Amino acid sequence: MAPLLAPSLLAADYGNLQAAVEGLADSAADWLHYDVMDGRFVPNISFGPGVLQAVHRHARQPFDVHLMIEEPQNYLAAFRDAGAASITVHYEACPHLHRVVQQIKHLGCRAGVALNPHTPVGLLEDIAADLDVVLVMSVNPGFGGQTFIPNTLRKVAALKELLIDCGSSALIEVDGGVTLDNAGALVEAGANVLVAGSFVFNSAEGPVATLANMRTQLSASIDAAEQEIG
Ligand code: DX5
Ligand code: ZN
């Protein structure tokens, strides 16, 4: 199946986020990825629910909110009210992860858990069946524009196996340093959602053309793989 594409607004022009999301309305973007950073869980600060509410009004795609914050349980309702369709919290930020996941679902959002690069996928074994999304960080969270960590491919493949073993239908999302150089291999390993910030927004041809190119190239490589399988 072709992956969902989720451009990250972290790499958009903050001076005109309305234009950024309106510009993506008819693009190949499936979700809009919204990176929240608190300066505590990660060494950077981005934007919160107020900005989401303002920009959500102008967007056509659902918002995929990635909380890189401590004590995310205190902000779930605020992000849901601001327009989040899915909310992802970090495994490393939640000593009571099961409770937080249930809270997200109770609010009517898709529930996701993100893993930092050093966090093993096996730690999700007892909660995998409760999740809608597992987000695999392919860089250390906190900044856009970093280099993809190659071990992510192995990790995505291991996660796919774990989800099958646990009877979980969670989507595998990959976030950080995603470009057309690694997207094909990620999909082959089992990724269902690709987040891309710099590659989409800083490209010479612009976000719409870059997303269209990603969609075309990934669909072509999937067709080729399916033909090979017969
Ligand atoms: C990193 C964020 C990512 C980031 C991706 O902490 O979670 O979503 O914006 O940006 P690129 O694609 O530039 O690595
Ligand atoms: Zn993110």
Side-chain angles (χ1 to χ4, degrees), residues 46-136:
S46 59
F47 20 55
V51 172
L52 177 62
Q53 187 170 22
V55 78
H56 172 256
R57 284 197 285 270
H58 306 288
R60 188 171 295 169
Q61 290 90 347
F63 268 91
D64 174 38
V65 173
H66 178 191
L67 297 181
M68 288 163 277
I69 65 174
E70 289 186 6
E71 303 186 354
Q73 66 277 6
N74 297 340
Y75 304 93
L76 302 175
F79 281 104
R80 190 278 311 268
D81 293 348
S86 56
I87 299 181
T88 295
V89 296
H90 266 262
Y91 177 89
E92 303 82 8
C94 297
H96 305 290
L97 185 62
H98 184 271
R99 179 184 292 147
V100 178
V101 165
Q102 301 310 322
Q103 286 170 334
I104 296 171
K105 290 174 137 181
H106 190 69
L107 289 168
C109 296
R110 264 190 306 266
V113 169
L115 301 177
N116 276 340
H118 73 280
T119 305
V121 296
L123 291 172
L124 292 181
E125 192 180 327
D126 288 313
I127 200 166
D130 293 296
L131 303 180
D132 300 306
V133 176
V134 178
L135 185 155
V136 177

Side-chain angles (χ1 to χ4, degrees), residues 8 10-11 33 35 37 66 68 137 139-146 175-178 195-199:
S8 167
L10 193 69
H33 188 78
D35 285 305
M37 304 179 182
H66 178 191
M68 288 163 277
M137 286 303 311
V139 299
N140 287 292
F143 302 93
Q146 302 181 80
D175 186 6
V178 173
V195 176
S198 321
F199 184 69

Side-chain angles (χ1 to χ4, degrees), residues 26-42:
D26 296 314
S27 73
D30 298 289
W31 295 353
L32 299 178
H33 188 78
Y34 187 81
D35 285 305
V36 182
M37 304 179 182
D38 65 352
R40 294 176 67 212
F41 180 70
V42 289

